[in-house]
Amino acid sequence: MLARDHTDTAIASRIRAQQLVRVGRGAYVDQDLAPRELALARIAAAHERLGTAHWFSHESAALLLGLPVWRVPTTVHLRTTNSGGRRPDPSLRRHRGPVQPELVTEVHGLPVTSLTLTAVDCARTLPPLPALVVLDAALGTGMDPAEARALLDTIPGQRGVRRAQALLGYADGGAESPQETATRLFLLRAGFPVPTTQVQVDTRLGAYWSDLGFPQWRLLVEYDGRDKYTSPQALFAEKRRQDAITETGHTMVRTTAEDRPTQLVARVRTHAPPFDPIPRPELQ
């Protein structure tokens, strides 16, 4: 919680003890907050001290809307109609310009850009991987891709529009985590055909779904997070699942966060038939 209502002496004591961290003028939070919670605290603190019209945007809006981000921002992004005065706050990144009423909403009492505008803003300004993470999640949350394309068509010539249009063509709401998005992007960069997400495989134990793969090659790719196998029972269930899938003639390649992109690409290519790589400079 923000510690603005504590006495100066109490705050100073807790800062010296490294129990508090400053998130804004007169606003402090517990030192042990997770990065995402800390970023949300910075947003809340910024809202309380801003006196002019504003809407949290870009990655800050993504956080408020519950979308995953590749890296939690340390700067608060917002759309505003002014430049912030003579002494702009370096902790704020202002994006100037009017916002249409239909492109804003409210989350927990905080003004924020809509899901579609947030995704478009991130696609225009972020590098391909973090942009695609937000786009995938936005589609999975229910964003209409046609609405996003229409919004981009209203701002021709602005920075990043062409890149955003290209990235939107690669976005896939079937990605269930940023790591799955990253895995797909690495394969796309290497020139593989566009992978299918959530590939269904019918086995003797029933239908299973793989994170992504190439059904035409009966080749699957699974991302394994550290928290995927939390018990011996979960590990055994996954072994039965993989055995049942491979019995159908599918090959499964597993990857983790520790794998370098080049390693992942090389392992998948080992099991793929010869193909002509597709150049995608817009994803580099």
Side-chain angles (χ1 to χ4, degrees), residues 36 39 58-64 66-73 122 126 129-130 133-134 137 178-179:
R36 190 179 183 98
H58 298 72
E59 295 162 281
S60 297
L63 292 175
L64 287 170
L67 302 178
V69 293
W70 185 246
R71 294 285 182 267
V72 177
C122 288
L126 293 174
L129 177 51
V133 166
V134 173
Q179 290 76 20

Side-chain angles (χ1 to χ4, degrees), residues 135-278:
L135 285 172
D136 280 358
L139 287 178
T141 304
M143 181 185 75
D144 183 350
E147 184 179 329
R149 292 190 187 95
L151 179 57
L152 285 167
D153 288 341
T154 67
I155 52 175
Q158 288 197 21
R159 183 172 67 90
V161 167
R162 292 183 62 183
R163 180 179 61 178
Q165 291 169 330
L167 288 173
L168 188 58
Y170 293 110
D172 190 323
E176 296 184 337
S177 72
Q179 290 76 20
E180 289 182 24
T181 295
T183 299
R184 191 174 84 258
L185 178 62
F186 298 150
L187 295 173
L188 289 169
R189 281 176 171 170
F192 280 83
V194 175
T196 299
T197 60
Q198 303 307 316
V199 180
Q200 179 176 334
V201 181
D202 295 317
T203 76
R204 60 181 171 80
L205 298 179
Y208 288 114
W209 284 262
S210 181
D211 294 336
L212 59 112
F214 306 93
Q216 69 273 32
W217 297 338
R218 303 179 77 80
L219 176 57
L220 308 173
V221 183
E222 288 270 304
Y223 176 82
D224 288 337
R226 290 182 177 274
D227 57 350
K228 188 170 184 178
Y229 309 114
T230 56
S231 68
Q233 292 78 12
L235 186 62
F236 179 70
E238 180 56 29
K239 181 183 184 305
R240 293 190 72 222
R241 171 181 174 272
Q242 178 163 341
D243 288 347
I245 289 175
T246 55
E247 285 171 6
T248 66
H250 286 80
T251 298
M252 182 181 292
V253 177
R254 292 187 175 276
T255 184
T256 68
E258 284 70 29
D259 291 336
R260 294 194 297 272
T262 53
Q263 294 174 322
L264 165 67
V265 167
R267 291 172 57 215
V268 175
R269 186 172 280 132
T270 297
H271 300 285
F275 66 94
D276 293 326
I278 303 171

